[in-house]
Amino acid sequence: QVQLTESGGGSVQAGGSLRLSCTASGRTSGDYCIGWFRQGSGEKREGVATIYTGGPSTFYADSVKGRFTISQDNAKKTVHLQMNNLTPDDTDMYYCAAARSWGLCGLNYPRDFWATGTLVTVSS
């Protein structure tokens, strides 16, 4: 089993930046398709950014391209999501999720492991 622990998030004004981190523990050997989804109350879950650790290859939703950057720190088994130029539309619960992968990955690649979520609030 893999456990995912998120950190970061919080409140920021429009135009500001936040960084989310997701650290994996447990049986973490091999490569993973790992990244963030976001979902508001009553809304459909949206894949935001994902990285394939064996590449690395990165994938972004159109709504965040040019503003968000996902990266990995293999030594710390951690991925980061740097979010810049945030807008109120980015306000949501953000969930880190991962799946073991042998080469396939993408924003909507099915995930087996989920973190509990962290709230990002952007005020205008």
Side-chain angles (χ1 to χ4, degrees):
Q1 282 287 353
V2 172
Q3 293 79 43
L4 301 175
T5 303
E6 289 178 295
S7 60
S11 298
V12 66
Q13 288 190 326
S17 299
L18 288 172
R19 188 172 86 154
L20 305 182
S21 298
C22 179
T23 300
S25 60
R27 293 188 174 183
T28 59
S29 61
D31 293 311
Y32 284 80
C33 184
I34 181 169
W36 274 269
F37 293 79
R38 63 187 181 187
Q39 185 173 23
S41 177
E43 297 177 356
K44 184 179 179 181
R45 187 170 61 196
E46 175 190 22
V48 176
T50 286
I51 189 167
Y52 172 57
T53 62
S57 300
T58 57
F59 308 87
Y60 296 95
D62 288 342
S63 57
V64 307
K65 282 180 181 176
R67 301 188 298 122
F68 290 13
T69 302
I70 190 168
S71 61
Q72 63 183 57
D73 183 337
N74 289 336
K76 296 182 179 180
K77 299 182 179 180
T78 298
V79 294
H80 302 287
L81 183 66
Q82 179 66 42
M83 305 185 293
N84 297 329
N85 194 21
L86 286 160
T87 75
D89 287 341
D90 295 315
T91 295
D92 253 327
M93 283 294 291
Y94 284 70
Y95 300 89
C96 177
R100 184 77 164 86
S101 176
W102 288 262
L104 297 178
C105 191
L107 278 181
N108 296 309
Y109 188 81
R111 312 300 164 95
D112 299 313
F113 311 107
W114 290 81
T116 57
T118 188
L119 180 61
V120 171
T121 303
V122 185
S123 58
S124 57

